[in-house]
């Protein structure tokens, strides 16, 4: 098990940016719930592609999704307890934890796909230097 924290942070940043764009562009509705999986898929794929191997990709993709979602949830819960009260915060925490568990699965799956695709790339020609 090899955790690349740079890949996890990059996957989180991509997922957060995509989440912000999606939340600004789409109204909340029944079909927009499906768009909530897109940041987990894209962020998990990016984190997985930055490492090699499907198992390491799944771990890094899942961590990018879960750690990012937990950071955002903690921020929202602190703001909500200050503004709305304790009952609303408990409801939000329950829904948020459920959403995190649901998003971890597509994040890990996309990370596994990204790590597998990186392993399947065509090798560089002999004598070629790779950018670092």
């Amino acid at each position: 098990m090899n955790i690349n924290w740079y890949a996890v942070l990059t996957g989180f940043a991509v997922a957060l940016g995509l989440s912000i764009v999606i939340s600004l562009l789409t109204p909340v509705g029944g079909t927009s719930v499906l768009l909530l999986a897109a940041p987990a898929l894209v962020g998990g794929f990016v984190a997985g592609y930055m490492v090699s191997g499907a198992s390491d990709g799944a771990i890094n993709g899942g961590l990018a999704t879960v750690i990012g979602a937990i950071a955002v949830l903690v921020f929202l819960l602190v703001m909500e307890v200050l503004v709305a009260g304790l009952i609303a915060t408990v409801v939000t925490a329950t829904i948020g934890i459920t959403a995190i568990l649901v998003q971890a699965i597509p994040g890990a799956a996309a990370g596994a796909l990204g790590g597998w695709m990186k392993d399947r790339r065509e090798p560089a020609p002999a004598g070629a230097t790779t950018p670092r």
Side-chain angles (χ1 to χ4, degrees), residues 22 26-37:
I22 287 174
T26 59
V28 176
T31 57
S32 68
V33 173
L34 297 175
L35 289 175
L36 295 177

Side-chain angles (χ1 to χ4, degrees), residues 33-110:
V33 173
L34 297 175
L35 289 175
L36 295 177
L41 290 171
V42 175
F45 182 82
V46 168
Y49 195 79
M50 292 181 71
V51 298
S52 293
S55 62
D56 285 341
I59 292 168
N60 285 289
L63 279 176
T65 304
V66 170
I67 289 175
I70 288 173
V72 171
L73 180 64
V74 167
F75 175 74
L76 289 176
L77 291 177
V78 168
M79 298 308 286
E80 187 171 11
V81 79
L82 294 175
V83 175
L86 192 58
I87 303 284
T89 304
V90 169
V91 171
T92 302
T94 304
I95 293 170
I97 290 170
T98 304
I100 288 171
L101 294 175
V102 169
Q103 285 185 345
I105 295 167

